[in-house]
Amino acid sequence: MHRKWQGRCEACGAWNALVEEVPLSAGPRPAPGRGRQIALSTLATDEPPPPRARSGMAELDRVLGGGLVPASAILVGGDPGIGKSTLLLQATAAFAGAGLDCLYVSGEEAAAQVRLRAQRLGLARAPVRLAAETGLRDILTTLDAERPDLVVIDSIQTMWLDSIESAPGSVAQLRAVAHELVTFAKRRGVSVVLVGHVTKDGQIAGPRVVEHMVDCVLYFEGERGHQFRILRAVKNRFGPADEIGVFEMTGQGLAEVANPSALFLSERGRPAPGSVVFAGIEGTRPMLTEIQALVAPSSLAMPRRTVLGLDSGRLSTVMAVLEARCGIGFAGQDVFLNVAGGMRVHEPAADLAVAAALLSARDDVALPPELVVFGEISLSGALRPVSQRENRLKEAGKLGFTAAMLPAGGRAAQGADTVPGVVLREQADLAGFVTAILGATGAG
Ligand code: TYD
Ligand code: MG
């Protein structure tokens, strides 16, 4: 309870996190037994799966779980400037082209600005209806009258409801606006896409508070300096989460990348110390990425551990296991780790590739260019087989890699596991792997 307006939460120190809660009226409580009895049903159903509308953008349709489900609510989050408006204008035009009645509401840009962008994207003639508006009351009235199949709200932070006192972008507004739009989607059978900015530090006014209200949460990721963009499903009530779509930001908007492995490896120059190709899985697809490490003498009392595109906790773990089980330490040395191309890797299967990159960087010798690495490292120093081993190997073979270092075991039940042209070098534990890697670099 706070007696006056307060900008900062005393408990967690966050700004603008406090929301006014009006207590329910203190009238007589309904007695139990006064409610309506709910009709119960069973889990069995004859209903067909929901029909889906495909945009024709394969990368987008896959991330949605096979297309857009009618009356679904989707949140697309991402850093400011990463390309959300571009993506959604293109997606809206694609859905419109596929026969959907689409409406694009911009609260950030004037209609003329959106038209200019559409022109630049070659979409000036797409049958998309456009509004530049931030008042949700008017937007809902319009939607109710127009009943489109799909509406994009760009962005939810700019929208406001007159019944809420706080400013647009505040938690109270965000929550109320999202609630109104999601309820509208369900009631009127209109698919709603909400665009939300996330802030790098506190996501206080970011779309986090909205995540549990929607059916599907997509994040649009990428590094500003790189042209690659990843659309990642982190929640999907109608399809697999973890699915990703890969795009490239060009002068004419976002282009789909059908073969991401080739793209992510295209920047690879001559074999360099610290560079390792990791055979990963993203959603349902195998994907090769380059992991780079740099190990350099440090002048700091607390040497630097800088990670980009990977979980920093994983780096600490891999380094700790290398030290404890193999006696390989990094004391007095700065360690930098990076996934090339602005890709983010979440799989534990990257452990082994991280270890290989660290070893190669530490000894300043390059690994053979035809090698891919994957596998999980357990705290005991044992190597754990990972899922979809054959798919990873196949992708590696397809891209011309001829050798793979991986944990022993985990072979498919049929014992097939023969990917022509890829020689398997299996290891049961980290010590064996270290010897093999140092042997491969010729440093051992
Ligand atoms: P935008 O979609 O406005 O980002 P967001 O809505 O996430 O804030 O994209 C902004 C960036 O994209 C801007 O820096 C310019 C770049 N861009 C291109 O490179 N090519 C294009 O065709 C367009 C439309 C934008
Ligand atoms: Mg935008």
Side-chain angles (χ1 to χ4, degrees), residues 373-389:
V373 180
F374 61 89
E376 192 177 339
I377 301 174
S378 78
L379 294 183
S380 67
L383 301 190
R384 281 204 206 113
V386 293
S387 64
Q388 304 206 43
R389 158 180 163 127

Side-chain angles (χ1 to χ4, degrees), residues 79-86 117 120-121 197 249-253:
D79 294 337
I82 205 69
K84 298 180 296 299
S85 300
T86 308
R117 176 183 311 214
R120 178 172 170 187
L121 300 173
H197 300 293
M249 185 60 96
T250 71
Q252 287 81 43

Side-chain angles (χ1 to χ4, degrees), residues 138-412:
D138 298 346
I139 293 173
L140 287 174
T141 306
T142 311
L143 290 178
D144 218 11
E146 301 285 343
R147 296 287 176 88
D149 298 309
L150 169 69
V151 57
V152 174
I153 305 287
D154 185 6
S155 66
I156 170 168
Q157 271 104 351
T158 54
M159 299 295 152
W160 61 279
L161 259 176
D162 44 18
S163 55
I164 308 283
E165 276 189 26
S166 31
S170 62
V171 183
Q173 281 286 2
L174 226 64
R175 205 181 275 159
V177 165
H179 177 76
E180 289 288 332
L181 283 165
V182 172
T183 323
F184 177 83
K186 303 292 158 197
R187 204 175 53 226
R188 298 290 189 228
V190 175
S191 295
V192 174
V193 176
L194 308 173
V195 177
H197 300 293
V198 288
T199 45
K200 274 249 151 66
D201 38 341
Q203 285 100 354
I204 287 306
R208 286 285 150 104
V209 289
V210 180
E211 281 187 357
H212 68 276
M213 294 188 209
V214 296
D215 301 307
C216 187
V217 179
L218 310 180
Y219 273 94
F220 204 39
E221 312 171 336
E223 295 300 328
R224 220 45 97 62
H226 290 281
Q227 72 270 41
F228 312 128
R229 297 287 181 271
I230 311 276
L231 185 65
R232 185 185 296 275
V234 296
K235 164 182 171 177
N236 194 347
R237 288 189 184 142
F238 309 116
D242 297 338
E243 197 62 80
I244 72 165
V246 184
F247 297 87
E248 188 179 357
M249 185 60 96
T250 71
Q252 287 81 43
L254 292 156
E256 295 183 67
V257 176
N259 188 350
S261 297
L263 185 78
F264 282 118
L265 297 182
S266 66
E267 292 188 339
R268 215 156 60 108
R270 290 183 303 107
S275 156
V276 171
V277 176
F278 164 55
I281 298 281
E282 289 292 340
T284 53
R285 273 193 307 184
M287 192 170 306
L288 304 190
T289 40
E290 182 192 357
I291 293 182
Q292 306 165 335
L294 176 69
V295 175
S298 178
S299 55
L300 302 170
M302 286 275 287
R304 242 189 279 269
R305 308 285 181 245
T306 305
V307 189
L308 209 70
L310 277 151
D311 179 25
S312 59
R314 280 325 282 189
L315 172 65
S316 312
T317 309
V318 170
M319 284 169 56
V321 179
L322 275 173
E323 169 122 47
R325 308 295 171 199
C326 311
I328 295 176
F330 294 86
Q333 296 191 291
D334 288 331
V335 176
F336 304 88
L337 195 74
N338 178 21
V339 183
M343 176 71 190
R344 282 177 208 175
V345 175
H346 301 280
E347 273 192 291
D351 285 356
L352 212 49
V354 169
L358 290 174
L359 292 167
S360 158
R362 182 176 174 271
D363 288 1
D364 202 27
V365 277
L367 287 168
E370 69 278 0
L371 177 74
V372 297
V373 180
F374 61 89
E376 192 177 339
I377 301 174
S378 78
L379 294 183
S380 67
L383 301 190
R384 281 204 206 113
V386 293
S387 64
Q388 304 206 43
R389 158 180 163 127
E390 194 159 350
N391 281 338
R392 297 174 200 262
L393 293 171
K394 272 191 191 143
E395 179 80 355
K398 211 160 73 187
L399 281 136
F401 290 85
T402 55
M405 282 205 193
L406 67 169
R411 193 171 281 118

Side-chain angles (χ1 to χ4, degrees), residues 106-128:
S106 178
E108 307 207 329
E109 291 159 306
Q113 265 177 300
V114 180
R115 275 189 213 107
L116 215 65
R117 176 183 311 214
Q119 222 164 44
R120 178 172 170 187
L121 300 173
L123 302 174
R125 302 203 157 271
V128 173

